[in-house]
Amino acid sequence: MTHSSHALTEANRLMNVCNSCRYCEGLCAVFPAMETKRAFTDGDLNHLANLCHNCGACYHDCQFSPPHEFNVNVPQTFAQVRAESYAHYAWPAAARPLFARHGMALAVGSVLAFAGFILGFIALNQPGALFTAHLDSGRFYALMPHNAMVTLFGLAFVWMVVAITMGARAFWRDAGAPAVALGDYGHAADDAARLRYLDGGGPGCYNQDDAPTDRRRLWHHFTFYGFLLCLASTSLATFYHYLLGLPAPYSWWSLPPLLGIAGGVGLIIGPIGLLWAKLTRQEDLRTPGFQGMEYGFVAILLLVGASGLALRLLGGTPLLGPLLALHLGAVLTFFLSMPYGKFVHGFYRYLALARYARDRREMHP
Ligand code: SF4
Ligand code: SF4
């Protein structure tokens, strides 16, 4: 069977070696899923690669890893396949090159460009309000009218949802569009919420050396739950505004700010930990060619969390205007880059876990 890229061809070779060996079958979901197949399509390999959580355990346990001539490095090859799969399934097709260009410079540059755009909007719309809006009871809306904010972010949000849905649909079709039951989605949600397969089969994740720890999982949890708390805060504020007739700003002890503060703390601690883990990750487990996408994604999350928290702490000072522009610039960059960066890994991994839950149920009814 021929494959459409060098990484997929290498993944196919490794899966054939591993299928003969099967030493790692207790480490994670990848090896039991692999054992159900004798031949692998591109869709199967993309499914297996997205099932891999890159814990590094199978590399450390492998008797065929370099310098052995079999040169088995499943985590690195799967990381490459996974990164290529994000671009392969991206919608629209014209946006696929964005994955290779995604990086720290583009992330920070886009945040500053959007922040500049919003500052320009404020200067045109409310001249003089930039450093005095904190004295206004409407605060945020003295800088940017509510309708303008909703229109700008609503359009970016809708684009993000459509693009990610189209990409996930293509991924699912390539995986054979398996008939998954509601319970399988529930199992997948439980596995994803606990990052079950980032534990290296029990002892933890291998990152900078041969000593496994649970730190990478901890940074992921801070980031993931920080993001969910921020999402809950924004959704609740929308509910307050439209259904309860209570527009922002809210006192810090009401629920939307409390959720936002907790989420902002998570989005600072988690991304800093993840950046540190990436910087110290051993060379053999890095993803050649896609480092920019990984760093860029984490940097945007960190900017969203830090600017949101700064806005909450310093929103009563003349810094309100510049901080609001920076935060909105970071959120807009985040929305627009979501379908074209590392963010999609959450969706593809969840779908891979759902297919695995179904396969497991059929194998062990
Ligand atoms: S990674 Fe190595 S030890 Fe593990 S199943 Fe594959 S060949 Fe065997
Ligand atoms: S999850 Fe860990 S053990 Fe499983 S394939 Fe990936 S790196 Fe190897």
Side-chain angles (χ1 to χ4, degrees):
M1 195 179 294
T2 55
H3 296 281
S4 59
S5 75
H6 172 74
L8 284 163
T9 305
E10 174 64 1
N12 182 62
R13 180 185 78 85
L14 296 187
M15 287 301 94
N16 282 303
V17 174
C18 292
N19 228 346
S20 309
C21 166
R22 300 193 172 185
Y23 179 76
C24 295
E25 63 184 0
L27 289 182
C28 68
V30 168
F31 296 96
M34 168 200 76
E35 289 171 12
T36 64
K37 299 268 177 190
R38 292 293 172 274
F40 303 93
T41 63
D42 283 0
D44 293 330
L45 293 166
N46 283 327
H47 163 65
L48 292 174
N50 279 282
L51 208 45
C52 168
H53 286 50
N54 209 358
C55 74
C58 61
Y59 179 72
H60 280 272
D61 289 2
C62 184
Q63 59 272 39
F64 304 122
S65 58
H68 192 281
E69 61 181 323
F70 283 7
N71 192 26
V72 172
N73 187 340
V74 175
Q76 190 178 65
T77 302
F78 272 174
Q80 185 82 24
V81 170
R82 217 167 29 245
E84 289 179 11
S85 76
Y86 306 152
H88 178 73
Y89 296 117
W91 182 91
R96 287 172 189 165
L98 283 173
F99 284 86
R101 293 194 199 118
H102 209 105
M104 189 71 102
L106 184 65
V108 175
S110 302
V111 170
L112 293 178
F114 283 129
F117 167 76
I118 290 163
L119 279 175
F121 180 90
I122 292 171
L124 278 177
N125 190 50
Q126 294 286 344
L130 192 58
F131 293 104
T132 56
H134 63 292
L135 302 171
D136 194 290
S137 62
R139 289 193 191 168
F140 304 136
Y141 308 135
L143 290 160
M144 184 181 258
H146 182 257
N147 287 348
M149 224 186 276
V150 169
T151 305
L152 184 63
F153 286 86
L155 287 174
F157 183 78
V158 168
W159 174 264
M160 177 271 289
V161 170
V162 171
I164 288 181
T165 305
M166 295 298 283
R169 188 163 156 258
F171 172 75
W172 194 239
R173 280 185 172 169
D174 234 5
V180 172
L182 202 57
D184 300 326
Y185 286 116
H187 280 297
D190 182 48
D191 290 344
R194 290 188 289 134
L195 283 175
R196 180 173 167 188
Y197 298 114
L198 197 58
D199 71 350
C205 178
Y206 294 79
N207 193 54
Q208 61 266 43
D209 52 33
D210 292 353
T213 76
D214 243 352
R215 254 172 266 147
R216 230 174 117 235
R217 182 153 64 162
L218 182 69
W219 307 140
H220 267 95
H221 278 325
F222 267 114
T223 308
F224 178 60
Y225 290 106
F227 169 73
L228 286 188
L229 286 168
C230 289
L231 192 65
S233 166
T234 309
S235 306
L236 196 61
T238 308
F239 176 80
Y240 276 25
H241 186 99
Y242 287 107
L243 293 172
L244 303 185
L246 296 170
Y250 307 108
S251 53
W252 72 266
W253 60 86
S254 61
L255 205 47
L258 284 178
L259 291 171
I261 291 168
V265 170
L267 278 185
I268 292 174
I269 295 174
I272 289 176
L274 287 175
L275 282 173
W276 178 248
K278 284 183 195 308
L279 284 168
T280 55
R281 193 152 175 87
Q282 53 189 280
E283 202 56 43
D284 287 352
L285 295 178
R286 290 177 187 231
T287 324
F290 285 93
Q291 292 291 299
M293 177 183 74
E294 308 239 339
Y295 283 109
F297 170 63
V298 181
I300 293 174
L301 283 174
L302 181 56
L303 280 169
V304 168
S307 59
L309 208 54
L311 191 58
R312 170 48 54 185
L313 294 174
L314 302 171
T317 74
L319 286 175
L320 171 69
L323 284 174
L324 183 69
L326 185 64
H327 184 59
L328 295 184
V331 175
L332 197 54
T333 304
F334 181 56
F335 276 178
L336 292 175
S337 66
M338 274 163 118
Y340 312 112
K342 183 77 189 281
F343 184 80
V344 295
H345 83 289
F347 292 92
Y348 295 171
R349 187 160 280 155
Y350 176 71
L351 290 175
L353 285 167
R355 176 180 163 182
Y356 178 64
R358 185 210 70 147
D359 292 349
R360 203 172 36 181
R361 178 171 50 79
E362 291 200 340
M363 278 185 292
H364 311 287

